[in-house]
Amino acid sequence: MSIAADTMDRPLVLIVDDDEDMRSALRELMLSVGIDACCFGSTKELLHADLPERPGCLILDVRMPGASGLDLQQHLTLNGNTRPVIFLTGHGDIAMTVQAMKAGAVDFLTKPVRDQTLLDAVTAAIEKDVSQRAVARLVKQHVDRYAKLTPREREVLREVVKGRLNKQIAFDLGISEITVKLHRGNVTKKMQVTSIGQLIRIWELLPSEIRTERSA
């Protein structure tokens, strides 16, 4: 499936089902409401495909030859792929549903499913993915800015977000208050904030490995 550069922000639904007629019907349904769709006959086929980085979701059959839809969901999760998943199955049971939903599935629907029910689930899944991607971009921006801080500026930042005063930070780090103020000013500029409140919100968005790393 050829993807033009100007479509990279358009949602793309990935359909994985071993039933060719079902794949075609689902794809036609997506296209009927203006949503691009790409079909695969197995989880292996999807995993070997060169997929574009577009927002969207997965519609997975649960039972298929080879790896199941649940296996694929687990594989994607373990590899950090947070693309939302909708399960479609003709053989679902409560245990499967619980497993899928606990693993983060948006919905678990039983075949045959009403078109509108599926479209509602797809809409919710796409919205979730768009939101996740926006947050991820924002976090990366903050991480890139944090990377520009010196070790001492990072130490000062850690103390500032704890609500500590300049004189307390100066005492703990063995430096003067003036030096603390200079470092705070550099942190403010590099992190591109105008208030302590903004700095605290950014700090809380940073990955836990950054927030918990020991000071140099």
Side-chain angles (χ1 to χ4, degrees):
M1 184 177 180
S2 178
I3 307 296
D6 60 358
T7 66
M8 292 307 289
D9 290 330
R10 283 168 56 93
L12 175 66
V13 173
L14 305 176
I15 300 165
V16 185
D17 197 305
D18 62 321
D19 184 326
E20 185 175 355
D21 290 338
M22 177 60 71
R23 293 197 303 271
S24 296
L26 292 174
R27 183 172 183 274
E28 288 302 317
L29 176 61
M30 295 302 118
L31 294 177
S32 72
V33 293
I35 298 175
D36 292 343
C38 192
C39 297
F40 304 91
S42 68
T43 59
K44 183 178 180 180
E45 193 178 323
L46 172 70
L47 291 174
H48 283 82
D50 184 15
L51 300 173
E53 267 302 315
R54 292 170 60 179
C57 68
L58 288 137
I59 298 178
L60 305 181
D61 188 14
V62 174
R63 298 183 189 275
M64 292 179 283
S68 70
L70 292 170
D71 292 333
L72 177 59
Q73 180 190 31
Q74 183 179 38
H75 174 85
L76 295 174
T77 300
L78 290 174
N79 285 276
N81 189 325
T82 59
R83 198 187 304 259
V85 173
I86 297 167
F87 281 104
L88 263 185
T89 180
H91 310 280
D93 59 31
I94 293 175
M96 280 185 182
T97 305
V98 171
Q99 180 183 344
M101 299 305 283
K102 279 188 174 180
V106 172
D107 218 331
F108 196 99
L109 305 173
T110 304
K111 300 173 184 177
V113 62
R114 290 179 59 250
D115 288 354
Q116 193 56 53
T117 299
L118 179 57
L119 289 173
D120 287 345
V122 167
T123 298
I126 290 173
E127 289 176 352
K128 179 180 179 181
D129 195 40
V130 169
S131 177
Q132 288 178 165
R133 288 168 180 269
V135 171
R137 285 194 297 270
L138 187 61
V139 170
K140 184 182 183 303
Q141 183 182 75
H142 295 327
V143 169
D144 289 345
R145 291 172 181 170
Y146 177 83
K148 296 177 182 178
L149 300 180
T150 66
R152 180 65 88 187
E153 288 165 356
R154 294 179 187 182
E155 286 182 319
V156 170
L157 169 59
R158 290 172 184 282
E159 298 304 312
V160 169
V161 297
K162 292 177 186 176
R164 294 177 65 75
L165 302 175
N166 285 348
K167 62 181 179 181
Q168 294 173 314
I169 298 173
F171 178 80
D172 288 345
L173 299 183
I175 57 180
S176 69
E177 277 192 64
I178 292 177
T179 302
V180 172
K181 288 179 182 178
L182 289 173
H183 287 315
R184 285 185 68 150
N186 289 337
V187 169
T188 298
K189 290 175 184 175
K190 291 180 181 179
M191 297 302 292
Q192 298 184 27
V193 298
T194 57
S195 70
I196 297 300
Q198 283 182 317
L199 198 58
I200 292 173
R201 285 193 292 274
I202 287 174
W203 177 256
E204 291 173 346
L205 282 174
L206 291 175
S208 60
E209 59 267 25
I210 286 179
R211 290 184 283 111
T212 57
E213 69 181 3
R214 299 185 66 175
S215 300

